[in-house]
Amino acid sequence: MIPVYICEDDAKIRAEQKEYLEKQIMIEGYDMEVVLCSGHPQEIIQAVKESPGRGIYFLDIELKGESMDGFGLGQEIRKLDSRGFLIYVTAFSDLAFETFRYHLEALDYIVKGNPKKLKKGLCRCLKVITERMRKEKGEEREYFSVKVMDVVKHIPVDEIVFFETAGRTHRIELHGYHDRIDFIGSMQELEEKFGERFLRVHRAYLVNVAQIAELNLKGREILMKNGEKCMFSRGMKGALLDRM
């Protein structure tokens, strides 16, 4: 879990940033958590000292009544977290070049005068950070995104075992290693999306070929690697044998 820190001297804006970031983290399922939201830079520094590691920092530049501004705070953070992600959120667009003068290697600079643009900027930063972290870890895995209520879940395609029609119109159930998710969708669209990696073995089942453990030809049954079973139609026997 990557810790997220917010340092903003305006209590109202600080609360809005925290609320929006937490909402985006929940909706997108990011491996992040807002751990501290403060108007005092020393509180941020102390928290980072107590919990060393790579973090994400949304910093205001002008911190009224404090001993340092956002640039000074960024310098102190860099001493403790050289690989952390610094994002400056401020009303002063003409100060953007200062991040380069201080050698802070800021990820982004967001002007907070326009609420809509501010939210868009925060959203963009979370997405960029997530992609960078995946690439650094060598994760080139493909993810299948599905919306459940107000939450978007991202499931690695190689962890999907099979899809099953859920018995109701346009409802599909995803069977995965760690998830069982009911969602609105189309088997035909899923077939087209995944291509040869998944096989429509029955009108009710679309299986991940790589997840097949064995076939019961007499009973026309497929045993998947997670222990679950799917039926296959008589006409799919040849296609299954070809892929095994």
Side-chain angles (χ1 to χ4, degrees), residues 20 89 108-125:
Y20 185 72
V89 185
D108 207 346
Y109 189 98
I110 304 170
V111 178
K112 60 186 177 185
N114 184 315
K116 188 175 181 179
K117 288 184 178 179
L118 170 61
K119 289 181 178 180
K120 187 175 180 181
L122 295 174
C123 181
R124 179 182 65 247
C125 286

Side-chain angles (χ1 to χ4, degrees), residues 64-75:
K64 295 172 184 156
E66 298 298 328
S67 59
M68 66 178 71
D69 62 10
F71 295 131
L73 175 55
Q75 288 180 311

